[in-house]
Amino acid sequence: MSTPPAAAAAVSAPAPPAGAQSLSPLESEILSEYSRLLENFNRMSSQLNSLAGAPTAEVLDGLRLLERKTSLVFTLLKASVYSIVLQQEVFTGEGKGDGREQSAEGSEGR
């Protein structure tokens, strides 16, 4: 996927052609833009190579920590939503049809 550093270094700005004086201003501007684009790609390639060589253990540890925190937040969110729904059922009396609440009411009456 990534270009080896040697191959990235081998790609360099093209040498101006022998008839560079015969280029129009627009053509020379386009060539200079291509040259800058090539330099940007080379810089990006070297940065990607350095990122690819970063220790993956640190990245994995960070992702594991993030996963634990995310699952904790998700669990707390589910619990709070369940609590809100339960409170609404109690206040509106819609929970009468649920089997769990009937069995709880039946055990209270005994």
Side-chain angles (χ1 to χ4, degrees):
M1 285 190 188
S2 63
T3 307
V11 178
S12 61
Q21 292 80 13
S22 63
L23 294 176
S24 70
L26 179 63
E27 290 172 332
S28 56
E29 185 179 337
I30 290 173
L31 285 176
S32 68
E33 285 295 323
Y34 274 122
S35 175
R36 277 182 277 199
L37 180 66
L38 179 64
E39 290 172 12
N40 289 337
F41 275 129
N42 284 337
R43 262 188 271 133
M44 185 176 66
S45 175
S46 65
Q47 287 179 352
L48 287 175
N49 282 332
S50 67
L51 287 175
T56 56
E58 292 176 14
V59 173
L60 289 176
D61 289 341
L63 287 174
R64 282 188 195 106
L65 178 65
L66 180 64
E67 182 181 19
R68 271 183 266 155
K69 288 180 179 180
T70 304
S71 64
L72 177 64
V73 168
F74 180 66
T75 303
L76 293 174
L77 177 68
K78 284 192 327 186
S80 65
V81 167
Y82 179 74
S83 173
I84 291 170
V85 169
L86 192 60
Q87 285 176 356
Q88 286 178 347
E89 286 180 359
V90 168
F91 287 135
T92 61
E94 292 177 6
K96 300 278 185 198
D98 192 4
R100 290 179 293 171
E101 291 184 10
Q102 284 180 354
S103 63
E105 289 174 0
S107 63
E108 287 175 6
R110 292 185 187 164

